[in-house]
């Protein structure tokens, strides 16, 4: 049976991580066109070598202008995208509230900045797609933040708020145009992503097998 993601074009933002590799491989196997954007040229080269069907784009996702140029390059080479998985992340913390330095917060904030840029620049693509999907990987720390991870939980909470705002925009756009919902924005929460890469891949690709209004603005905990 053909997978629902077959023939779609998906972008993995910050997809050179272990999780990105697993999602990319699963998406290629399912018949999707897979594009990966990231800053590390060596990791992008390795990904392209190990998974030849994958298209790679070097981009600083925290730089608004660079992301705009990324969108132009993607459109020129592949046309509009049908899905985006945001994988820009990382963790810094510990030491209670006193240990939450401004440098740590600014480093973590890059993930939120990248999400804002990527979701805005590909928003029109996802709204126009027959089944547009945006997803992020968040943390269970949002529901139970700890002092030693206050900065991390705060950034994740802000990222969830942004992603849910995107969901509202998708739903409102469909209502305003008088058409059935076609785009969805979803939050995946994990306690730790290590060991859940395959579950993330299945959950993200599985979004195309569900109606948009059934998954839009949903928070899904992966375990």
């Amino acid at each position: 049976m053909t997978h629902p993601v077959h023939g779609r074009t998906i972008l993995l933002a910050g997809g050179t991580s272990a999780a990105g590799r697993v999602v990319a491989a699963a998406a290629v196997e399912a018949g999707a066109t897979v594009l990966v954007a990231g800053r590390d040229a060596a990791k992008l080269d390795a990904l392209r070598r190990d998974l030849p069907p994958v298209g790679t784009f070097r981009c600083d996702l925290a730089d608004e202008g660079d992301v705009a140029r990324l969108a132009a390059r993607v459109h020129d080479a592949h046309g509009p995208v049908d899905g985006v998985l945001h994988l820009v992340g990382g963790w810094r913390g510990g030491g209670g509230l006193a240990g939450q330095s401004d440098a740590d917060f600014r480093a973590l904030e890059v993930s939120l900045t990248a999400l804002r840029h990527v979701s805005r620049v590909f928003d029109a693509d996802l709204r126009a797609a027959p089944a547009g999907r945006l997803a992020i990987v968040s943390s269970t720390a949002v529901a139970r933040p700890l002092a030693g991870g206050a900065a991390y939980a705060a950034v994740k909470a802000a990222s969830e708020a942004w992603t849910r705002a995107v969901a509202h925009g998708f739903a409102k756009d469909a209502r305003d145009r008088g058409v059935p919902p076609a785009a969805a924005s979803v939050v995946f929460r994990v306690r730790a992503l290590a060991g859940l890469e395959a579950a993330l891949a299945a959950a993200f690709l599985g979004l195309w097998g569900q109606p948009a209004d059934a998954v839009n603005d949903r928070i899904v905990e992966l375990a």
Side-chain angles (χ1 to χ4, degrees), residues 8-22:
R8 317 276 188 187
T9 299
I10 63 172
L11 173 69
L12 307 182
T16 56
S17 62
R21 280 176 159 265
V22 172

Side-chain angles (χ1 to χ4, degrees), residues 4 6 37 55 63 71 84 89 95 98 106 123 128 142 164 175 188 193 196 206 210 213:
H6 182 90
D63 182 305
V84 176
R106 295 305 171 199
D123 184 63
V142 171
R164 297 190 67 189
R175 287 196 305 271
F188 293 121
L193 189 51
L196 291 178
Q210 303 175 70
D213 56 358

Side-chain angles (χ1 to χ4, degrees), residues 13-141:
T16 56
S17 62
R21 280 176 159 265
V22 172
V23 175
V28 167
E29 185 176 358
T33 296
V34 182
L35 313 176
V36 175
R39 288 188 303 179
D40 192 316
K43 289 183 178 180
L44 290 169
D45 288 345
L47 184 61
R48 188 169 57 249
R49 182 181 63 247
D50 297 341
L51 287 170
V54 172
T56 59
F57 296 84
R58 190 175 183 185
C59 177
D60 180 356
L61 297 169
D63 182 305
E64 185 177 18
D66 214 14
V67 176
R69 289 186 288 273
L70 166 68
R73 292 162 60 202
V74 166
H75 290 156
D76 286 346
H78 301 280
V81 303
D82 301 285
V84 176
L85 177 60
H86 180 73
L87 290 168
V88 179
W91 190 88
R92 290 174 71 163
L97 286 181
Q100 305 296 291
S101 73
D102 195 60
D104 287 338
F105 183 82
R106 295 305 171 199
L108 293 166
E109 192 181 30
V110 168
S111 174
L112 172 60
T113 300
L115 172 63
R116 291 190 297 106
H117 294 333
V118 171
S119 61
R120 286 203 312 263
V121 80
F122 289 104
D123 184 63
D125 284 11
L126 299 179
R127 291 185 187 215
R133 300 291 184 267
L134 170 73
I136 70 165
V137 178
S138 185
S139 171
T140 54

